[in-house]
Amino acid sequence: MAIRTALHVLIPGTLALALLTACSGATDSAAPAPVAEAQAPVATGLADVVDALRTRIIEQVSPDALEALTPDQALALASDGERAVLSTGFLRFTVDAPATVHVLLSPDSDIAPFWLAEQGFVPSGQDALVDGDDDFRGWSRQVPAGEVALGVPSLETGVKPYFVVVGPSADGGPQPQISAPWPDTMGVATATVDARVFTDDTDELDAIDPALAGLPLLQTLEKREDESALVGYFRATPYPAGTDADHVVLTWADDTATSQSIQWRTAPGSAQTQLRYAVEGGEAVVVTADSVELHTPDVANDPKAMRHTVALTGLEPGTSYRYAIGDGERWGEERGFTTGPAAGEAFSFIYMGDAQVGLDTWGELVRTAHAQYPQAAFHVMAGDLVNWGERRDDWDLFFENARGVFDNRPLVPVIGNHEVDQGRAELYVDQFDLPRNGPEGIEPERVYAMEYGNALFVVLDSNLEPESQVEWLDATLGASDATWKFVVYHHPLYSPRPGDRGQPEQKAAWAPVFEKHGVDLALQGDDHAYLRTYPMRGDEVVGSPAEGPVYIMSVAGTKMYEQTDAPYVAKRFTDIATYQVIDIDGGKLEYRSYDIDGTLMDAFSIAK
């Protein structure tokens, strides 16, 4: 439906005409000047309008003023057509009879969307209680039969979408029915206690005004929370991209003995898109990277950066290489990597739990671990590498603090809950080149497996349904004849946090498969403390690691949780960031845990 038609369905004619010609509205006296229609062509899609406004805000509002930007000031930058899209382009549905439309606003903001009053909605006092203590405030107005088009829930960040209840136009009138919802992933339910108000989230009605009870409820999409966010949306990175390559990280996407992936960042337009590499003392080879743009419009001082990837294959096992990044003529810092050994050769690796908060302090820990144990071939991190996985400025802090380590020793990362935003782990996937050998139906690189020497490492995504990974997990572990088998994932199957933070569904799905195939260690994160269990089988303590896996949980950042005793705890402590060194030599495993001062916090060994 065209914008003009949609406006006339819902809005009285004079108000619709005003919106399409003048779009008057209160603005702060300090607001930036509105953009004339000629300067800002009408965009017909909400995403286009929001992108255009975000770009305009960066161009016209100084970085110092962004933090104090108000919704009125942001709205003043919209053209008439853009304002109309914001007023009607968020959702729509059809009613088969005259109706009273009740919009129930999230309490996340005290500011009602600008379009409500302009379209004739008034506060009704008919509210609903959601998710225990969220008082959703009711606004209502009467509409004729036909399509109803509603606007954005907010121009602020962190405001959940409203939901909609539809009743008769007048007492005793026919009850309208809702049809043709758009987006079509919205649902229609009945407004009763325990009904979900979003189709993609578990928030439920705990109470609702009696006048609304039993009426049709349009379940909206919680994941659209920041879809129209302009205020509080922008941030600045302390480490913007530049002409020279930075944020260099080594990963594997293929055979660890014969491949190496190298990724780095530059500003757009940088010529540093080539990599030169050679065996120590050998003739250099130059290759050109695959480059993609990371567009993160919320980073006001650096909205676009380039991510470059070179995936080297056909390398020699157990061989040291030197590499440098440049433009073909000028080359930057020379760094090194070593391919994985043949099976049976001894090796070491470092395992860490969550970095997440206090990334500068974590940086000291990871650099200490590298300095004290430079023989460690790679680093495993069990999720929550950052606190805000959808924010590139947080990733910039992570890579900056890992400088000098992950550009010389590969990182084996795991997705934690803080890497995920509304089910996606976009920046995680975009910035790491990882194996694409996970289960069918799951986005590549979220779940994967790799072999190194005589060990198998299986990385799981505990944010996804555990059953979706069971068949692949069983087949992958069962097909390997590796001497040592490790599984790595974020949410712990065993945790002594008060309230028992163990994951019963994951434990029921995964632990029997671990036990069936002789997994040695399960490396976990999430609960921000240190734990080592006794060997476990069938949820019971057993006498030897040969009978069941040992589950370990650690933390590497500054966010800490309490713990309590549990029957399965062999060792635990709190408020201490640690790194773990795991040495493999044939059939012997030596495990040691250290704090940043080098104090030995825990140790054990396994012999086969």
Side-chain angles (χ1 to χ4, degrees), residues 179 197 213 235 239 306 434 476 481 525 558 596 605:
S179 63
V197 299
R235 56 190 51 82
Y239 302 107
M306 299 302 296
L434 302 171
T476 301
D481 59 0
T558 58
I596 195 169
S605 62

Side-chain angles (χ1 to χ4, degrees), residues 164-221:
V164 179
V165 174
V166 174
S169 178
D171 290 343
Q175 172 58 54
Q177 298 302 309
I178 298 172
S179 63
W182 179 89
D184 59 10
T185 47
M186 295 191 298
V188 178
T190 302
T192 58
V193 171
D194 295 336
R196 291 189 176 187
V197 299
F198 305 116
T199 56
D200 59 344
D201 194 77
T202 57
D203 288 359
E204 295 180 347
L205 282 171
D206 294 299
I208 190 165
D209 189 282
L212 305 182
L215 298 179
L217 182 156
L218 180 66
Q219 300 166 309
T220 53
L221 301 170

